[in-house]
């Protein structure tokens, strides 16, 4: 059988998502900027998607800017907010466990003269609020902290973080990379004190190549892309109508009976943790229950390289990840695993199992049986 446990890299699209994407590509294919009926029909899809997504967050549709995905959303949130507010200060705060689409824009901003403080995390992957408070300076203009860590599923205390920031200086903007959190958590930016929020569609069973950035209407930010003035001038270029509509459908489905969906996913995560714990030489790096995200389990396998195990599992049609898929072509030691104190000898022996709405208990059982069979053989082979 096939067992797909790489849903944090990408997900299989839902059937209604596929249907609306195909319909728009083949029937309602007008340019949303056109003045004729096909153009107006296309524009209607965009408006409906914005309303659906805004509804899931309890924000205004005009505060949703559609992008090409999570990386663009993060780049826009960081670079264009920093540039727009640089007269107020040049200091940014983030963490040492961010995704490359946050870390690399921050590195670019450092080249432009900005100063960045990277907060460490504890053994569970959480920042310490007192260290955040101590890091805030008079020249701090932006804080960027991910909601859910993409490698171990650690959930940061977003509302508490915002309270620390806003108490120290209400003008400091708070950006949240919610790419692994949207669809899994009920997120309320206004209540939680989030000024900017990044999301990607293909993490929630939507299409690839589309996402959005929530921008509170009070935020001062520049466009990343200039051109024809689409999306109120915030993101020029003809909109990806099939992708946007598909994302809207995916968002609506994920937030329908949301509690039941996440309860089932958490049960799968906990079952995977229990089954992995049966195997000698396996260390689980993710927390069970509500202490971590419902869709991610990180596990380290002693005396075997993660890449070797990944490909051995692949031969049995079990698909997992050895790190962030967005960085998989550039192997490097995980800052997250180092940050939480994983033993040095296990840093290159860790896999991520991630779940979606199509994941099943039977897939877990199959995978555990295969692991129990493979691990002794692979360890003997690696020892020579």
């Amino acid at each position: 059988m096939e067992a797909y446990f790489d849903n944090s890299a990408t997900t299989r699209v839902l059937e209604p998502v596929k249907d609306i994407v195909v319909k728009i590509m083949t029937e309602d294919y007008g340019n949303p900027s056109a003045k004729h009926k096909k153009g107006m029909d296309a524009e209607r899809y965009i408006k409906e998607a914005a309303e659906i997504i805004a509804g899931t967050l309890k924000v205004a549709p005009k505060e949703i800017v559609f992008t090409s995905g999570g990386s663009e959303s993060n780049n826009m949130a960081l670079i264009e907010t920093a540039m727009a507010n640089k007269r107020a200060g040049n200091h940014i705060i983030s963490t040492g466990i961010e995704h490359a689409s946050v870390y690399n824009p921050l590195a670019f901003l450092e080249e432009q003269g900005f100063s960045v403080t990277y907060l460490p995390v504890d053994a569970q992957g959480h920042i310490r609020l007192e260290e955040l408070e101590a890091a805030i300076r008079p020249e701090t203009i932006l804080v960027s902290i991910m909601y859910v860590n993409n490698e171990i599923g650690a959930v940061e205390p977003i509302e508490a973080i915002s309270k620390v920031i806003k108490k120290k200086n209400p003008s400091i903007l708070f950006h949240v990379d919610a790419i692994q959190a949207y669809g899994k958590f009920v997120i309320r930016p206004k209540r939680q004190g989030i000024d900017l929020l990044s999301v990607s569609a293909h993490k929630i069973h939507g299409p690839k190549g589309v996402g959005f950035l929530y921008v509170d209407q009070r935020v001062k930010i520049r466009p990343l892309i200039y051109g024809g003035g689409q999306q109120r001038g915030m993101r020029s270029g003809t909109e990806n109508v099939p992708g946007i509509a598909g994302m809207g459908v995916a968002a609506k489905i994920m937030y329908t009976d949301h509690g039941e969906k996440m309860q089932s996913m958490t049960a799968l995560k906990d079952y995977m943790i229990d089954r992995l714990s049966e195997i000698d030489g396996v260390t689980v790096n993710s927390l069970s229950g509500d202490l971590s995200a419902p869709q991610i389990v990180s596990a380290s396998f002693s005396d075997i390289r993660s890449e070797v195990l990944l490909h051995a599992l692949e031969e049995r049609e079990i698909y997992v990840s050895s790190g962030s898929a967005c960085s998989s072509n550039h192997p490097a030691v995980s800052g997250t695993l180092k940050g939480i104190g994983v033993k040095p000898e296990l840093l290159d022996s860790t896999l991520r199992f991630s779940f979606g709405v199509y994941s099943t208990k039977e897939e877990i059982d199959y995978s555990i049986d295969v692991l129990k069979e493979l691990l002794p053989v692979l360890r003997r082979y690696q020892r020579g």
Side-chain angles (χ1 to χ4, degrees), residues 307-326:
E307 189 174 350
V308 172
L309 183 53
L310 182 150
H311 290 304
L313 291 171
E314 177 190 7
E315 291 180 0
R316 303 294 188 91
E317 294 189 284
I318 300 168
Y319 301 99
V320 299
S321 172
S322 58
S324 171
C326 301

Side-chain angles (χ1 to χ4, degrees), residues 69-96:
S71 291
E72 183 186 332
S73 295
N74 281 338
N75 274 257
M76 182 177 180
L78 295 169
I79 296 172
E80 302 311 322
T81 301
M83 293 298 188
N85 293 273
K86 61 183 178 181
R87 288 188 178 181
N90 70 339
H91 181 234
I92 301 168
I93 299 172
S94 190
T95 80

Side-chain angles (χ1 to χ4, degrees), residues 132-205:
L132 168 64
E133 184 175 10
I136 297 174
R137 310 173 190 167
E139 64 269 25
T140 304
I141 58 172
L142 176 65
V143 176
S144 178
I145 295 176
M146 59 175 25
Y147 204 124
V148 168
N149 180 265
N150 54 295
E151 293 186 53
I152 63 171
V155 183
E156 299 299 334
I158 294 300
E159 193 165 349
I161 289 170
S162 178
K163 286 179 180 177
V164 170
I165 297 167
K166 301 301 183 180
K167 182 179 179 181
K168 201 78 176 278
N169 182 353
S171 298
I172 296 173
L173 297 174
F174 183 28
H175 166 248
V176 173
D177 173 351
I179 291 165
Q180 297 291 348
Y182 184 76
K184 315 303 188 302
F185 292 84
V186 175
I187 304 174
R188 297 287 182 263
K190 304 292 186 185
R191 189 186 71 206
Q192 294 172 276
I194 300 169
D195 299 301
L196 302 112
L197 185 92
S198 302
V199 172
S200 177
H202 73 107
K203 311 295 188 181
I204 60 164
H205 300 276

Side-chain angles (χ1 to χ4, degrees), residues 251-285:
K252 184 175 182 178
I253 292 173
M254 289 301 294
Y255 280 102
T256 300
D257 300 322
H258 181 261
E260 294 176 16
K261 285 187 178 74
M262 293 309 107
Q263 188 175 12
S264 297
M265 199 173 291
T266 300
L268 281 178
K269 177 193 73 169
D270 290 351
Y271 184 66
M272 172 64 92
I273 290 174
D274 290 341
R275 294 300 318 270
L276 285 169
S277 300
E278 297 173 3
I279 307 174
D280 291 337
V282 175
T283 302
V284 177
N285 305 310

Side-chain angles (χ1 to χ4, degrees), residues 215-259:
V215 184
D216 186 283
Q217 57 188 343
R218 297 168 298 176
V219 170
K220 185 180 178 182
I221 184 172
R222 302 188 326 185
L224 181 63
I225 298 174
Y226 294 85
Q230 289 89 344
Q231 298 199 68
R232 302 172 300 281
M234 283 304 300
R235 205 274 190 178
S236 290
T238 300
E239 296 92 338
N240 175 5
V241 184
I244 290 169
M247 179 168 58
V249 171
K252 184 175 182 178
I253 292 173
M254 289 301 294
Y255 280 102
T256 300
D257 300 322
H258 181 261

Side-chain angles (χ1 to χ4, degrees), residues 94-116:
S94 190
T95 80
I97 63 168
E98 298 299 316
H99 188 271
S101 63
V102 166
Y103 182 79
N104 286 331
L106 290 177
F108 167 77
L109 287 169
E110 288 183 286
E111 293 174 357
Q112 306 307 306
F114 289 85
S115 172
V116 182

